[in-house]
Amino acid sequence: MSTDNSTYYPILLNLNGKSCVVVGGGRVAERKIAALLEAKAKVTVISPEVTPIISEWLAMGKLEGIMEGYDSQYSSDAYLVIAATDSTEVNECVYIDSAARGQLINRVDCPEQSNFIVPAVVRRGKLSIAVSTDGASPLLAVEIRQKLEQEYGEEYELYLDFLGELRLLVQDQVLEAQERKRILKTVLELDVLGSIRNGSFNKMRLFEKLLGVAK
Ligand SMILES: C[C@@]1(CC(=O)O)c2cc3[nH]c(cc4nc(cc5[nH]c(cc(n2)[C@H]1CCC(=O)O)[C@@](C)(CC(=O)O)[C@@H]5CCC(=O)O)C(CC(=O)O)=C4CCC(=O)O)c(CCC(=O)O)c3CC(=O)O
Ligand SMILES: NC(=O)C1=CN([C@@H]2O[C@H](COP(=O)(O)OP(=O)(O)OC[C@H]3O[C@@H](n4cnc5c(N)ncnc54)[C@H](O)[C@@H]3O)[C@@H](O)[C@H]2O)C=CC1
């Protein structure tokens, strides 16, 4: 069975400094670890064998490793656990232990024994676009993610930084709520992305134009 017909509630989790345990060190574990590290989680991998890339990350001190078979004590303090071994028995065991402790648990071979699943994600600086099929077709999620990567290019990183900075300025300098909203809406109608793409982007000039003051 590939799905339990759950309707999931999408959230963005702050994992900065949080202990996260990945059980298993294969191809799937490597992908999950990469995403956890990107989110600045404190990751521990538990697995007798790991991929060459995980091994490199261990040598660089990017995460910790317990190079043994799973034991429930290894994940007792974790905030989030991912069961990613190639053994259904071990993965089930990880699920039972983690669920009993109320931990966030993702069992990669069984959405029914997971209290969260992981979407395919496009990241452009502060912009995240997450795609999920509720487990029905991870490959379709990948295909849509790849299409979105074409549509939302690297220029969005600078664009979002600019919009974020403008929003702080507006919150600081414009007292009237309606006027704040008007400015934040107007900026989206300007071709800022076009100016980033053709190299004519000028942040200060845009701030001046939108706020009427030199920054
Ligand atoms: C439920 C979920 C739980 C979870 O893992 O969170 C889950 C479950 C399962 N995946 C399986 C297979 C594959 N998954 C991928 C790829 C990805 N899978 C991801 C997420 C999810 N996969 C969650 C639902 C996401 C959603 O649909 O919303 C992505 C998006 C995110 C990530 O993993 O980080 C990542 C792409 C990252 C990217 O590129 O952007 C590929 C392709 C590949 O590996 O190259 C295959 C092989 C093709 C195939 O089988 O379809 C199997 C069968 C395993 C078996 O055969 O034993 C199960 C178990 C089952 O279905 O029961
Ligand atoms: N959710 C997803 O995105 C996907 C899930 N899968 C599922 O993920 C699972 C793992 O797939 P791969 O990473 O490709 O397998 P793999 O064969 O590359 O890696 C398996 C890992 O499990 C470890 N392991 C085995 N027994 C263990 C134990 N007792 N304790 C700790 N670690 C142990 C091994 O050392 C190895 O590192 C499979 O069950 C597959 O069905 C497969 C593709 C995608």
Side-chain angles (χ1 to χ4, degrees):
M1 195 157 109
S2 67
T3 176
D4 63 355
N5 292 322
S6 293
T7 300
Y8 292 90
Y9 176 62
I11 60 171
L12 294 164
L13 215 49
N14 182 352
L15 290 181
N16 196 344
K18 293 259 198 254
S19 294
C20 297
V21 162
V22 177
V23 186
R27 193 182 62 94
V28 174
E30 182 182 301
R31 185 166 71 221
K32 304 286 184 185
I33 290 170
L36 291 171
L37 291 176
E38 205 184 330
K40 300 191 167 56
K42 190 173 158 296
V43 181
T44 302
V45 61
I46 299 164
S47 181
E49 282 174 41
V50 298
T51 65
I53 294 202
I54 297 176
S55 182
E56 215 172 281
W57 291 337
L58 283 166
M60 291 165 79
K62 290 192 170 199
L63 74 161
E64 286 179 18
I66 298 175
M67 311 314 260
E68 287 174 30
Y70 172 74
D71 186 289
S72 89
Q73 62 172 340
Y74 297 147
S75 55
S76 57
D77 295 332
Y79 176 75
L80 177 152
V81 179
I82 297 183
T85 79
D86 55 355
S87 155
T88 51
E89 292 77 19
V90 175
N91 289 347
E92 174 156 31
C93 208
V94 176
Y95 165 73
I96 290 169
D97 292 342
S98 302
R101 296 179 192 128
Q103 291 164 317
L104 287 169
I105 167 74
N106 173 227
R107 183 178 159 186
V108 301
D109 59 341
C110 183
E112 297 83 358
Q113 293 198 333
S114 300
N115 54 31
F116 74 96
I117 60 170
V118 182
V121 182
V122 180
R123 274 187 203 280
R124 300 288 183 245
K126 291 183 173 59
L127 176 67
S128 299
I129 310 174
V131 182
S132 169
T133 67
D134 280 6
S137 173
L139 277 180
L140 178 65
V142 173
E143 199 179 291
I144 294 172
R145 191 253 302 153
Q146 286 165 343
K147 277 191 195 144
L148 289 169
E149 271 170 356
Q150 303 304 313
E151 198 174 330
Y152 294 84
E154 301 293 341
E155 64 276 17
Y156 273 82
E157 177 161 359
L158 186 54
Y159 187 36
L160 260 294
D161 285 344
F162 162 72
L163 291 176
E165 207 178 320
L166 173 73
R167 187 156 176 274
L168 289 180
L169 284 177
V170 166
Q171 285 172 340
D172 190 47
Q173 298 180 10
V174 182
L175 295 177
E176 221 271 303
Q178 280 302 106
E179 176 65 1
R180 276 205 297 270
K181 196 170 168 190
R182 190 193 63 78
I183 297 172
L184 296 175
K185 236 179 131 181
T186 303
V187 68
L188 301 183
E189 287 155 16
L190 304 176
D191 188 21
V192 179
L193 276 169
S195 74
I196 294 174
R197 287 187 189 114
N198 71 26
S200 68
F201 173 68
N202 184 320
K203 186 169 78 173
M204 293 310 166
R205 208 163 56 213
L206 282 163
F207 284 157
E208 236 173 280
K209 180 172 173 177
L210 289 155
L211 289 161
V213 285
K215 211 308 206 125

